[in-house]
Structures are given as structure tokens and as C-alpha cells.
Amino acid sequence: GRFHLRVSPAESERLHLPAALYRSRSVGGCMVPAAAASVLASSRGVEWRLVDPDMVAARAIGAAGSSAAPGCGTAVVAVLAHVDHGKTTLLDALLGTSVAAHEPGKITQSVRPSILQVPPRLRCDPADASALAFLDTPGHAVFGGMRAAAEQSADLRLVLVALDAGVQAQTREVLRRCARAGGPTLLALTKLDTAGGQPASLDQARQCGSVTEAAAQLRRAWAEEVAQAEAEAAQVSVGAGCCVPLLAAGDATAGPPAAAGAASWLSPAASQGHEAEVSLICAPRGWGLEALLSRILVALRSRHSHPAAPASPATSAALSSGQREPSARGQQGAEPTGA
């Protein structure tokens, strides 16, 4: 860790802390009781006061936003994938944290937000976001409702697929929902270090046959979901203030297509799913991370030229009447049992 606090045996009783070396990779992670901090500060003649770190962070973000150029701000990115496909590990690599190593049950079980200040060297356009608010989402089947809520509140969706697992059930679920909702969606292949031949660099991994095949599989899955979403949107029957989406049997978690708005938004970026670019990354080794951030910024610029797809009348009516979208928890009775 970069931040150390050593408590000697002589100070252990006075501070009411076990004698040890406390380490952390961030200031916020090196936590000691307020009473112990007070004793340490007083013994060194340092004035101190208690503050709410959340309020400090909020003021700092607000000040940055007010002083930024027009069009700048914080964009929300939902990170979506099947369980154990590298979502939290990716965010740890971007943010310098170690959340994945301390998660209960070794899986994410809630939507966890975190903010990354975009390095100035990556902001090539005055309208680029100055910060990215990432939403880490759970990948287990029972958390479909959480994934849906994160996807609906995001400016951009980032869908990850692990090289050693390929497209899985929750991958299909999030691809289907993203295709129906419209809006910017990026695809990325993770865990490139599991490619055959033990690649020592991103360039070597890119040449591996398993990487090429996995990227092609992901592109095909996205193209299929986009084509299905466009077909459903074209068949929506609009009547007297209502529309009837044609849903596949047992597909309650994906939500209805956004009618004509979805089809217009999907073209040309999403409707050409077979040509979609797939980012290649290995978070623990830092491969492809800056390229991924650059792709996110470029995709977010499209928001200014493509309005978000409007909700269908049926969806609007359901929301106004207080009905909730069905979630995967209603269909799955099992609890998460592992990573």
C-alpha cells in the first residue's frame, strides 16, 4: 500500500489499537477510530476536526462541474456482464481500489457507484465528460432487476464478456435489454491473460485464435439481439394511446422495446452489430484500459446527435400507474451460491 500507519507496542494500549502496520492503497481505506486519530494528532500538535467525506467529495465534484466548459460534466456508465466476467476487477484497475478481493461471497450483490476523473489527455473534445460515474452491477441471475435499473439510468452501457467463459445467460439478457432500449452500447472482451500461449502483451493476445473467436461470438450475439429488437419494434401495434410489444416467451426481464425510437437510434451504430468493435482488455495487467476510456468518451459524444429512445406508451402507462417492471428475482427462487 501507499499509505502506512504503524502502531508500536508502546502506543497500542494508549491508542486502543492492536500493534500492527496498517496499510492501504488509498487514504480512505486506511481507517482508524476517531479517538485514536485524536490522540495521534494531539501528541504532534496538530489541530483536527471531523468531516463527512461524502460531503467533501460532493462539494469538490460540484466545484469541478461549475468551472468546467459547457457540455462537460459527469456521465453515467453501467458495467454489465454475467457473473465473474471481470466487472469489479476492471473498475479496481481504473480506480486503484481493491473491492473485488473483499466482496462477500466473492460476487457483487448490489449496484455500486464510483467516480473516475477523466485524465485531461483523453479529453479530445470540449464536450467530453470530465468525470465518469461507473455503476458496478451484480451478474448473478437473481439480480436482474438491479441490472435493469442500472441500465435504464445510464448514459452508456458497457457489456463485458470473459475470454475463458464466452457469452453466457446474463450476457444475452443485458445485450437484449441494451438493444431494445437504444443508446450507446460498447462491447469488451476481458481476461485476455487466459488466452492460449500465455501472451505477454496486448498485441500478442490480439493474435491468439481464442481471442478472435470470442470477439466474433460476442459480435454475433449483439447482432442477433439488435436484429430481434428492430423486428419487434417494427411489429409494435400502435392503437389508441397504447402499443403491444411482441415479447418472446419467458422474457419478462428484458422489458419492452422502445417502439420506433429504438429502431432509429440503433441505426447505424447498433444495427450493424456484426461490425461492432470489441475492446480487448486485461484489467490486472492494465492492457487496453486507456483505449477503452477513449472509446467511452467517443461513444458518449453521440448523445448530442442522437436523442435517447422514448419510452413506449405501454411503458409510460405502467410507470404512471405505479406498476413495476418484473425482475429476475420473481422468476428465480435460488439464492447466489458462489462466484
Side-chain angles (χ1 to χ4, degrees):
R2 294 175 297 176
F3 301 92
H4 295 174
L5 173 64
R6 183 180 297 279
V7 177
S8 66
E11 296 177 313
S12 176
E13 183 176 353
R14 182 168 64 95
L15 298 176
H16 303 288
L17 287 174
L21 176 62
Y22 296 81
R23 296 173 176 166
S24 175
R25 296 177 63 184
S26 65
V27 174
C30 192
M31 305 297 291
V32 297
S38 172
V39 172
L40 286 172
S42 300
S43 65
R44 289 162 175 78
V46 177
E47 295 184 2
W48 70 284
R49 60 189 176 91
L50 287 175
V51 297
D52 184 344
D54 291 335
M55 294 298 295
V56 173
R59 286 196 296 268
I61 294 171
S66 62
S67 62
C72 299
T74 302
V76 180
V77 180
V79 186
L80 306 160
H82 191 83
V83 65
D84 198 28
H85 277 218
K87 300 180 295 295
T88 306
T89 302
L90 170 61
L91 296 182
D92 279 343
L94 292 174
L95 299 165
T97 56
S98 56
V99 174
H102 306 288
E103 286 187 310
K106 300 299 183 182
I107 63 170
T108 302
Q109 301 184 42
S110 63
V111 176
R112 182 186 302 107
S114 53
I115 295 180
L116 172 70
Q117 298 297 323
V118 179
R121 66 180 181 279
L122 298 181
R123 297 176 59 192
C124 304
D125 189 285
D128 281 344
S130 58
L132 298 175
F134 287 99
L135 301 180
D136 189 6
T137 62
H140 197 280
V142 300
F143 299 121
M146 292 187 188
R147 287 188 293 275
E151 179 272 321
Q152 291 168 5
S153 63
D155 298 304
L156 180 143
R157 296 91 177 177
L158 174 61
V159 181
L160 307 182
V161 171
L163 175 63
D164 58 352
V167 174
Q168 300 290 320
Q170 277 74 268
T171 312
R172 280 287 188 175
E173 172 204 312
V174 298
L175 288 176
R176 183 175 304 117
R177 188 181 291 115
C178 290
R180 289 178 172 178
T185 299
L186 297 182
L187 312 176
L189 198 62
T190 66
K191 302 188 179 183
L192 293 191
D193 53 342
T194 62
Q198 298 181 337
S201 67
L202 180 60
D203 290 336
Q204 289 184 12
R206 191 178 285 115
Q207 305 303 319
C208 294
S210 59
V211 173
T212 303
E213 293 174 7
Q217 180 195 33
L218 178 54
R219 283 194 293 267
R220 285 195 301 268
W222 175 236
E224 291 169 3
E225 298 301 340
V226 167
Q228 179 67 17
E230 290 182 328
E232 291 176 354
Q235 296 177 40
V236 168
S237 174
V238 180
C242 67
C243 67
V244 183
L246 304 180
L247 295 179
D251 190 22
T253 63
S264 61
W265 218 112
L266 290 171
S267 177
S271 60
Q272 297 176 357
H274 59 285
E275 299 177 358
E277 180 182 352
V278 177
S279 294
L280 304 179
I281 57 178
C282 177
R285 300 192 183 187
W287 297 350
L289 298 186
E290 284 204 1
L292 177 64
L293 290 177
S294 295
R295 280 197 65 204
I296 290 174
L297 294 176
V298 171
L300 286 169
R301 294 173 200 158
S302 63
R303 290 180 302 163
H304 304 297
S305 55
H306 293 83
S312 66
T315 304
S316 300
L319 292 176
S320 62
S321 62
Q323 299 178 19
R324 298 180 63 185
E325 181 187 1
S327 69
R329 182 175 290 277
Q331 299 179 9
Q332 303 284 345
E335 293 296 325
T337 57

